[in-house]
Amino acid sequence: MTIHSVTAQDEQSLTLSWINVTFFGIIHALSLLAPWFFSWSALGTMLFLHWLLGSIGICLGYHRLLTHRSLQVPKWLEYGLAILGAIALQGGPIFWVATHRLHHAYTEDKDKDPYSAQRGFCWSHMLWILYPRPEFFNYDTYKKYAPELARDPFYRWLDQYFLFLQIPVAILLFALGGWSFVVYGVFLRAVLLWHSTWLINSAAHWRGYSNFELNDSSRNLWWAALLTYGEGWHNNHHAHPNVAKAGLRWWEIDMTWWAIKTLQTLGLAKKVVES
């Protein structure tokens, strides 16, 4: 199936990936089993994993550390954070870093920004994944935008096999709490974390306020910041992408920054970019 427009002005032909549609459809469908497998311990496990994989894995590991190099940590810790990011099921580290660097380099350009807000809310939220463009999803192409990771055998392996990490996670959760832990800790967690992260690409380029006048529509959106542990202060981030702290005003809560400060206090984070 092909479509010829994502927005009224978009003339580029796109092809729907039925593999991606099936994968995301199945995970979303399985997450709907949650009411029949509810337990408070399963809910608590899901919330813990949402924080661990979202704030520590994606926001700290994939985003502020690997993409923007806003801090330095020992290599063993860097690899550990990357594994947590990979378990979040948002793509391998080379893919994630490359697409986000392109987003910053060509913010809202319809052709060069993978999830350009100029293509509409639905495109920047999810359609860019369902209609994958080869220049952003082909390894030989996107690796050019994360060359230091592509040179590392560990990151090449993780980029290729990140999906398989769900297997030991599911086995461990089943051993701890049965199917309720699997439904909440794998499927519901993945869906909620996906949409939390995607809101930064979509909602945070649509609603909110600006601390900085920029040539893009990035906004600070308080409720998105709460859901994403600080990433919702998106206007701040676009103004200073390499700064480790996203929440700049005293009331702009940034839980991921708290984690970075904790690592710094422990002597595990160095060269933290603060301005």
Side-chain angles (χ1 to χ4, degrees):
M1 174 182 178
T2 61
I3 62 174
H4 297 283
S5 64
V6 176
T7 63
Q9 293 78 28
D10 182 20
E11 297 179 354
Q12 184 172 9
S13 179
L14 300 168
T15 303
L16 182 66
S17 169
W18 286 107
I19 293 176
N20 291 2
V21 169
T22 300
F23 174 77
F24 285 98
I26 289 174
I27 302 298
H28 277 77
L30 290 171
S31 74
L32 296 178
L33 295 172
W36 288 273
F37 288 89
F38 176 80
S39 71
W40 289 109
S41 57
L43 178 62
T45 298
M46 187 276 291
L47 292 174
F48 170 74
L49 289 175
H50 188 284
W51 165 78
L52 179 66
L53 304 180
S55 179
I56 308 304
I58 294 296
C59 303
L60 199 168
Y62 269 19
H63 189 201
R64 305 190 197 188
L65 175 61
L66 295 183
T67 302
H68 296 294
R69 296 298 177 180
S70 301
L71 65 152
Q72 290 183 5
V73 300
K75 186 60 72 173
W76 64 266
L77 180 56
E78 179 181 310
Y79 285 167
L81 293 171
I83 290 172
L84 292 178
I87 295 173
L89 207 57
Q90 296 187 12
I94 303 175
F95 166 79
W96 203 102
V97 169
T99 53
H100 193 69
R101 285 178 178 174
L102 282 167
H103 171 66
H104 277 275
Y106 305 103
T107 304
E108 297 179 356
D109 184 290
K110 285 185 178 181
D111 295 321
K112 297 179 180 180
D113 181 350
Y115 29 86
S116 172
Q118 290 299 314
R119 287 176 173 261
F121 184 96
C122 291
W123 174 267
S124 58
H125 190 76
M126 187 177 183
L127 287 182
W128 73 281
I129 300 172
L130 301 184
Y131 290 90
R133 298 169 60 192
E135 60 266 39
F136 304 133
F137 284 80
N138 182 280
Y139 175 78
D140 289 331
T141 302
Y142 69 69
K143 71 177 183 180
K144 295 184 296 184
Y145 304 102
E148 79 283 15
L149 300 185
R151 289 192 294 267
D152 189 317
F154 173 77
Y155 284 122
R156 292 199 301 270
W157 176 85
L158 194 58
D159 200 70
Q160 184 173 2
Y161 297 110
F162 72 94
L163 278 175
F164 294 100
L165 295 179
Q166 299 304 306
I167 296 174
V169 171
I171 291 173
L172 176 61
L173 289 172
F174 183 80
L176 292 173
W179 285 113
S180 65
F181 272 39
V182 175
V183 170
Y184 276 78
V186 175
F187 305 123
L188 184 60
R189 175 267 303 169
V191 169
L192 294 180
L193 191 51
W194 282 337
H195 289 283
S196 299
T197 302
W198 296 341
L199 282 170
I200 306 306
N201 303 336
S202 55
H205 280 264
W206 177 54
R207 289 287 187 269
Y209 67 91
S210 300
N211 286 332
F212 302 93
E213 292 296 327
L214 305 175
N215 294 322
D216 60 56
S217 63
S218 60
R219 298 289 184 266
N220 293 325
L221 193 56
W222 69 268
W223 54 267
L226 293 179
L227 291 173
T228 58
Y229 311 99
E231 301 294 85
W233 309 120
H234 203 48
N235 175 255
N236 296 346
H237 175 60
H238 269 263
H240 303 285
N242 295 324
V243 172
K245 185 179 182 181
L248 302 182
R249 297 185 177 182
W250 68 266
W251 46 268
E252 292 176 343
I253 297 173
D254 184 356
M255 291 180 64
T256 302
W257 170 245
W258 300 348
I260 292 172
K261 290 299 291 183
T262 299
L263 291 177
Q264 190 177 38
T265 300
L266 295 173
L268 293 173
K270 302 182 184 298
K271 297 185 179 180
V272 177
V273 180
E274 298 195 35
S275 62

